[in-house]
Amino acid sequence: EPEVTQTPSHQVTQMGQEVILRCVPISNHLYFYWYRQILGQKVEFLVSFYNNEISEKSEIFDDQFSVERPDGSNFTLKIRSTKLEDSAMYFCATGVKNIQYFGAGTRLSVL
Amino acid sequence: GIQVEQSPPDLILQEGANSTLRCNFSDSVNNLQWFHQNPWGQLINLFYIPSGTKQNGRLSATTVATERYSLLYISSSQTTDSGVYFCAVERDLGGQNFVFGPGTRLSVLP
């Protein structure tokens, strides 16, 4: 099966710091997504991205979050000023023809 | 928004046993996928199954879209099947994102 690659696998940061999570999507995929899973809870949608712009976002995706595709290949999620409650697993997904493929996730720990 | 329920929430099996996991959803869906989250947190895509039946080895899935449910069958379970199984749906007529169910936590004992 094709792979979506996420880096880093684990990120530890201090509260108030900025973090950037990276995703390398499958090459011919056009749709990109970020999801979040707080420990022990279900996976929640954050944002979808198509044609270099946000197509949909959830209420979780506030002004502290941003996404971009800086070089046409990587897809990034930036959290501007992390809070303790941002600690979670963040999954990138890419899609084509309705199927979404998920990366292995980045575990973010905010101290 | 669309509601997704899964049952049972927890399931403990002896190795070799069979099981059925259920996913109910409250509205028409454009897409339904089953995922296995392994103990390392990775989400593994099992099936893309908005309708019909598919089989892959010991796993199979059936979605009855008109009745708004999907079933995941695991036969001859192995300890490596342990983890959390999520059903995720993409709602019909707009919205590209998945809504995940709460998951079924499966523990297969040796």
Side-chain angles (χ1 to χ4, degrees), chain B residues 34-38 42-44 46 80-85:
Chain B
W34 282 96
F35 296 90
H36 174 216
Q37 186 167 41
N38 64 23
Q42 295 174 313
L43 279 172
I44 310 299
L46 297 177
T80 51
D81 295 332
S82 296
V84 183
Y85 290 80

Side-chain angles (χ1 to χ4, degrees), chain B residues 10-95:
Chain B
D10 294 280
L11 186 58
I12 301 174
L13 300 175
Q14 286 297 134
E15 201 167 24
N18 303 328
S19 61
T20 301
L21 282 57
R22 186 177 180 103
C23 171
N24 292 330
F25 42 94
S26 61
D27 207 343
S28 300
V29 298
N30 193 43
N31 181 8
L32 187 149
Q33 287 181 237
W34 282 96
F35 296 90
H36 174 216
Q37 186 167 41
N38 64 23
W40 296 271
Q42 295 174 313
L43 279 172
I44 310 299
N45 184 27
L46 297 177
F47 292 104
Y48 162 68
I49 187 162
S51 63
T53 297
K54 288 186 178 179
Q55 179 154 9
N56 184 7
R58 296 182 296 105
L59 303 182
S60 63
T62 295
T63 297
V64 183
T66 53
E67 296 187 24
R68 300 180 182 169
Y69 73 88
S70 184
L71 302 173
L72 178 69
Y73 305 96
I74 305 174
S75 64
S76 304
S77 57
Q78 300 175 357
T79 55
T80 51
D81 295 332
S82 296
V84 183
Y85 290 80
F86 289 104
C87 161
V89 303
E90 181 183 335
R91 64 184 188 275
D92 204 358
L93 298 178

Side-chain angles (χ1 to χ4, degrees), chain A residues 47-91:
Chain A
V47 65
S48 59
F49 191 84
Y50 172 71
N51 203 25
N52 290 323
E53 60 183 29
I54 291 173
S55 53
E56 191 169 353
K57 60 182 181 180
S58 72
E59 56 193 28
I60 302 170
F61 194 87
D62 61 22
D63 292 344
Q64 290 298 311
F65 292 90
S66 61
V67 289
E68 62 177 8
R69 202 168 177 217
D71 55 10
S73 58
N74 293 323
F75 177 51
T76 63
L77 173 69
K78 182 192 291 186
I79 308 175
R80 228 178 303 281
S81 177
T82 50
K83 304 187 285 285
L84 294 176
E85 54 265 37
D86 292 327
S87 294
M89 184 78 110
Y90 290 81
F91 292 102

Side-chain angles (χ1 to χ4, degrees), chain A residues 1 31 33 35 37 40-45 48 50 55-56 89 91 97-104 107, chain B residues 4 30-31 33 35 37 40-43 45 48 86 90-91 94-103 105:
Chain A
E1 184 174 288
Y31 294 88
Y33 310 84
Y35 293 82
Q37 185 184 30
Q41 299 186 19
K42 65 180 177 181
V43 180
E44 302 172 290
F45 167 75
S48 59
Y50 172 71
S55 53
E56 191 169 353
M89 184 78 110
F91 292 102
K97 293 185 180 180
N98 295 328
I99 303 176
Q100 292 188 27
Y101 297 90
F102 280 69
R107 184 171 298 283
Chain B
V4 183
N30 193 43
N31 181 8
Q33 287 181 237
F35 296 90
Q37 186 167 41
W40 296 271
Q42 295 174 313
L43 279 172
N45 184 27
Y48 162 68
F86 289 104
E90 181 183 335
R91 64 184 188 275
Q96 304 155 17
N97 66 82
F98 270 138
V99 176
F100 278 74
R105 181 173 299 277

